[in-house]
Amino acid sequence: MSQDICVIVPTIREYECLRSYFENAREHGFDLSRLHVVLVTEDFCETGEMEAMLAEEGVSGEVFDGTRREEWYVDHGVAGYGHVVPAASHAETSFGLLYMWAHDEFDYGFFIDDDTLPHEDVDFFGTHMQNLAFEGEIEAVSSDERWVNVLYQNADEHGLYPRGYPYSAMDETIETDTTAIASGEVVASQGLWTNVPDLDAVRILMDGDLEGQAQTRTTREDFGEDFVAARGNYLTVCSMNLAFRREVIPAFYQLPMDDNEWNVGRFDDIWSGVFLKRACDVLGKRIYNGAPLCEHNKAPRSTFDDLNNEVPGLELNEHLWRVVDDVEPEVPRDGRTASPSDDVGVDADSYAAVFEAMGSELARGDWSEYTNGAFFNHVGEYMLDWLDCLYALDRPTSRAAESTVIS
């Protein structure tokens, strides 16, 4: 089978974890020839050793440090858009999305963080692919706060809320129902995590941990049946264990973090998940949550360092979803937007239309009432640049030649 899956891994140290994922695929009979791995790293890292590891494993792939990324932008006629991928940030995963977009043989993408491992008894790649192909009945979760805690299933015991969950949406009342999913309706599969939960620094401090992890850990017993968040409800989307269809890339930009004048960080995948969920609701699509679980082995680090990165954006995180929720995009899809029951296909232009509407709202709005509100304008401008970059990759002889650096 030809390569149809691009596996995107941001890493500066623990790239050897991929050997466990490859072994998991072999053990469960998943065809490794379908994979092409893109390791996104830095100039100071062991790029030669990373390439050797892929060769030893017999898995197709490439390694992109900062220098190679700059060369790639030039080679593909998008050097004027290199700023959309921040340097030395987890949001460098966006480079992998650009790489996918430039290679239309990839129908599916995977995000895997380098501090994770698959559970040996579960087919990691196969389960994600089954989720993306899912059709049938599944649990749909909603709350009176319009936010779903992805750790809700045992929250009465552990009391955990994941990184990015708004503080104003806590103490919610959960309701569950059953909904029917049509073929092709699932566009993203979020696997959850055992061992170290994905918490923000405030919650880690409240849990009594100064090393950036958490005293409270999760196990398989904390997770029940797989589920979706109901229409009109938001959820945190973490990119450490995630599969998605190519079509969502225009609306799945990993937001510019860390390298900005407001020092906002740690919300790249969280905010991208908010945008993707809004797009899914508009277009009649779904984000699947649950299996396959991964083991999250977050390395110790100062909780206060993470806190310093998160505090500049905490207030904005309370309001972003409301801004997005008020946007009513006009989608070029037979002259109408999708209803929740629609099961027809949606092309990338539709995701781009939803994303452009959200980006324009953020770029043009007056957010001065919020601390660091101008960061919303910054994000909106970069969202629009993201779409221009994808457009330039589609038409390298026209738009790319005209592109200029926008900062």
Side-chain angles (χ1 to χ4, degrees):
M1 181 178 290
S2 61
Q3 293 159 4
D4 62 340
I5 299 172
C6 185
V7 180
I8 301 162
V9 184
T11 182
I12 59 173
R13 51 184 177 272
E14 301 294 343
Y15 56 89
E16 291 278 344
C17 77
L18 282 175
R19 295 188 189 271
S20 295
Y21 285 94
F22 301 149
E23 181 60 26
N24 177 278
R26 296 186 187 100
E27 287 293 322
H28 292 279
F30 189 86
D31 186 358
L32 279 171
S33 70
R34 296 181 65 179
L35 306 185
H36 181 78
V37 178
V38 174
L39 288 162
V40 186
T41 188
E42 303 299 335
D43 288 346
F44 59 81
C45 294
E46 299 173 336
T47 55
E49 288 83 349
M50 294 178 190
E51 291 169 345
M53 182 265 294
L54 292 174
E56 289 168 10
E57 293 287 337
V59 177
S60 173
E62 296 180 71
V63 180
F64 287 90
D65 57 19
T67 298
R68 275 211 70 195
R69 290 195 294 277
E70 293 299 325
E71 293 170 350
W72 189 91
Y73 297 141
V74 172
D75 291 343
H76 288 79
V78 292
Y81 295 104
H83 63 284
V84 300
V85 180
S89 168
H90 186 270
E92 285 176 348
T93 45
S94 281
F95 175 79
L97 298 179
L98 294 179
Y99 183 94
M100 274 188 67
W101 197 251
H103 295 83
D104 59 11
E105 66 268 28
F106 299 123
D107 296 321
Y108 307 98
F110 276 69
F111 283 148
I112 297 176
D113 274 7
D114 69 357
D115 58 359
T116 66
L117 293 171
H119 285 259
E120 293 180 359
D121 60 338
V122 177
D123 180 358
F124 177 81
F125 291 105
T127 301
H128 270 304
M129 295 303 292
Q130 290 169 11
N131 294 348
L132 291 174
F134 179 83
E135 56 180 309
E137 299 285 319
I138 193 171
E139 184 169 83
V141 187
S142 61
S143 87
D144 57 345
E145 296 289 349
R146 298 186 59 204
W147 269 85
V148 172
N149 177 0
V150 296
L151 301 176
Y152 80 95
Q153 288 163 326
N154 203 21
D156 288 343
E157 293 294 324
H158 56 58
L160 298 176
Y161 286 92
R163 175 176 57 91
Y165 190 97
Y167 285 87
S168 58
M170 293 172 62
D171 300 321
E172 75 284 8
T173 299
I174 287 286
E175 293 185 4
T176 61
D177 200 353
T178 300
T179 191
I181 301 292
S183 176
E185 194 170 329
V186 174
V187 295
S189 167
Q190 176 176 209
L192 301 176
W193 356 270
T194 60
N195 195 27
V196 181
D198 183 33
L199 310 181
D200 68 23
V202 173
R203 292 180 170 109
I204 292 172
L205 288 173
M206 292 173 65
D207 198 43
D209 194 306
L210 302 184
E211 295 188 327
Q213 299 176 321
Q215 296 296 310
T216 302
R217 301 299 174 93
T218 53
T219 67
R220 292 183 191 220
E221 288 67 37
D222 290 311
F223 303 96
E225 297 297 317
D226 298 343
F227 63 94
V228 297
R231 305 285 188 200
N233 283 252
Y234 291 86
L235 76 166
T236 57
V237 174
C238 171
S239 65
M240 78 168 78
N241 173 13
L242 188 77
F244 53 92
R245 293 180 182 270
R246 174 189 182 84
E247 68 192 60
V248 307
I249 290 176
F252 202 40
Y253 174 40
Q254 304 298 289
L255 279 299
M257 296 286 154
D258 305 306
D259 185 20
N260 59 76
E261 65 182 88
W262 302 270
N263 298 315
V264 178
R266 303 261 298 155
F267 292 101
D268 50 315
D269 50 353
I270 300 301
W271 289 4
S272 76
V274 170
F275 296 135
L276 180 60
K277 183 56 166 68
R278 178 60 178 150
C280 286
D281 284 355
V282 170
L283 301 174
K285 298 298 182 177
R286 298 284 190 175
I287 301 172
Y288 189 109
N289 306 278
L293 302 175
C294 73
E295 180 183 313
H296 183 208
N297 302 308
K298 184 179 179 183
R301 65 190 189 212
S302 169
T303 307
F304 295 101
D305 284 348
D306 280 350
L307 183 64
N308 284 330
N309 289 331
E310 293 169 4
V311 163
L314 281 179
E315 182 184 8
L316 299 178
N317 188 60
E318 297 293 318
H319 300 284
L320 177 74
W321 73 275
R322 297 186 186 277
V323 173
V324 166
D325 195 65
D326 285 340
V327 173
E328 294 292 343
E330 295 182 7
V331 179
R333 185 174 176 274
D334 298 329
R336 62 187 178 90
T337 57
S339 73
S341 62
D342 280 346
D343 60 2
V344 296
V346 177
D347 62 24
D349 285 345
S350 299
Y351 287 95
V354 179
F355 200 67
E356 181 176 9
M358 294 185 288
S360 295
E361 179 68 18
L362 288 168
R364 299 167 185 168
D366 178 4
W367 315 112
S368 57
E369 64 183 295
Y370 306 139
T371 300
N372 296 326
F375 185 66
F376 272 175
N377 303 109
H378 175 78
V379 165
E381 290 164 1
Y382 271 53
M383 291 166 68
L384 299 178
D385 289 352
W386 172 254
L387 293 175
D388 281 346
C389 184
L390 295 181
Y391 187 93
L393 285 171
D394 278 339
R395 299 163 177 79
T397 59
S398 55
R399 283 291 295 272
E402 302 169 3
S403 64
T404 58
V405 175
I406 303 175
S407 58

